[in-house]
Amino acid sequence: GAGVSQSPRYKVAKRGQDVALRCDPISGHVSLFWYQQALGQGPEFLTYFQNEAQLDKSGLPSDRFFAERPEGSVSTLKIQRTQQEDSAVYLCASSFSRAAYNEQFFGPGTRLTVL
Amino acid sequence: DQQVKQNSPSLSVQEGRISILNCDYTNSMFDYFLWYKKYPAEGPTFLISISSIKDKNEDGRFTVFLNKSAKHLSLHIVPSQPGDSAVYFCAASGGGYQKVTFGTGTKLQVIP
């Protein structure tokens, strides 16, 4: 497909479980972003990759959150020991180059519900 | 600390009229501003952007105005169409860096 894809689209986890969310960016896109969107809020930055390098992880809310992009394409956001406050939509976005002011293309998101 | 603010959570406009969505920001380092549109169960889609060296950018029915001294920007949609009904997010970045800070969104309803 031509766009950013994310899987799963929906995930229900029991509190304390680990989850892994996958993002397939647009082929050839250098930059990749993860955002968290709580209900009624705008997307909030979590972390940023340029190829396989994680250049900014300042938005990750705790050390339970971990992201990787080992080969510079697919990325995984892992949340360990999930808590109810982790319930949100997790959005992935990619952009063509490392230059600033490039349009970010968003995937449809993964809706995580922690019971 | 909400650096990008959209104070109107919702807006209703009659089809054919102008829609005006407002956004305020507090961070003086922001120098690039974007509007994204979001339909339910989809990711945000880029709509239009403006650099701080300009005060207006136009793309078809969509125009964004930037008032740097007031730290305010607005999106004008003319004429509004029912398909424009969506949530609109204002966003900003700065310092030559791609990290984008989003507002909380304004839900626009265009009534046929």
Side-chain angles (χ1 to χ4, degrees):
Chain A
V4 178
S5 61
Q6 293 185 245
S7 60
R9 290 295 309 276
Y10 303 91
K11 176 70 179 176
V12 178
K14 291 183 179 178
R15 193 173 62 174
Q17 280 185 332
D18 298 348
V19 298
L21 313 180
R22 177 187 168 108
C23 172
D24 285 81
I26 295 173
S27 177
H29 276 198
V30 168
S31 298
L32 185 144
F33 301 80
W34 283 99
Y35 293 86
Q36 180 190 61
Q37 185 177 15
L39 191 64
Q41 301 296 313
E44 289 201 14
F45 171 83
L46 293 177
T47 187
Y48 160 58
F49 289 86
Q50 193 177 98
N51 295 309
E52 69 279 2
Q54 189 174 20
L55 297 189
D56 188 341
K57 53 183 181 179
S58 63
L60 295 177
S62 77
D63 58 8
R64 296 186 295 105
F65 287 70
F66 171 76
E68 60 183 4
R69 193 186 184 198
E71 297 178 359
S73 55
V74 170
S75 177
T76 305
L77 176 67
K78 297 179 180 178
I79 308 173
Q80 297 177 322
R81 304 181 304 279
T82 52
Q83 304 294 315
Q84 285 188 323
E85 61 263 28
D86 300 334
S87 296
V89 175
Y90 290 85
L91 293 163
C92 174
S94 68
S95 68
F96 177 70
S97 78
R98 60 178 65 87
Y101 316 133
N102 269 262
E103 175 187 347
Q104 294 183 22
F105 294 84
F106 281 82
T110 295
R111 180 177 294 278
L112 172 66
T113 302
V114 181
L115 302 176
Chain B
D1 176 27
Q2 194 73 29
Q3 297 187 59
V4 178
K5 301 177 186 179
Q6 295 177 258
N7 292 319
S8 297
S10 63
L11 175 68
S12 287
V13 171
Q14 208 71 31
E15 181 179 4
R17 299 289 189 110
I18 184 171
S19 295
I20 300 176
L21 295 89
N22 293 303
C23 177
D24 297 291
Y25 63 96
T26 58
N27 190 336
S28 300
M29 292 297 294
F30 289 149
D31 58 7
Y32 189 66
F33 305 89
L34 312 94
W35 285 92
Y36 279 83
K37 177 179 177 179
K38 186 181 183 303
Y39 293 118
E42 295 183 11
T45 303
F46 171 77
L47 192 57
I48 192 169
S49 64
I50 188 167
S51 163
S52 61
I53 62 173
K54 293 186 172 183
D55 54 19
K56 176 182 173 181
N57 189 26
E58 197 170 349
D59 183 2
R61 296 185 297 114
F62 302 92
T63 303
V64 56
F65 294 93
L66 174 63
N67 182 334
K68 282 179 60 181
S69 61
K71 292 191 175 66
H72 177 84
L73 62 155
S74 60
L75 175 68
H76 292 209
I77 306 173
V78 178
S80 300
Q81 299 174 353
D84 296 330
S85 297
V87 177
Y88 289 79
F89 290 101
C90 173
S93 66
Y97 179 44
Q98 292 196 57
K99 175 179 174 179
V100 175
T101 302
F102 284 82
T104 53
T106 296
K107 184 174 184 178
L108 173 66
Q109 182 184 22
V110 180
I111 303 164

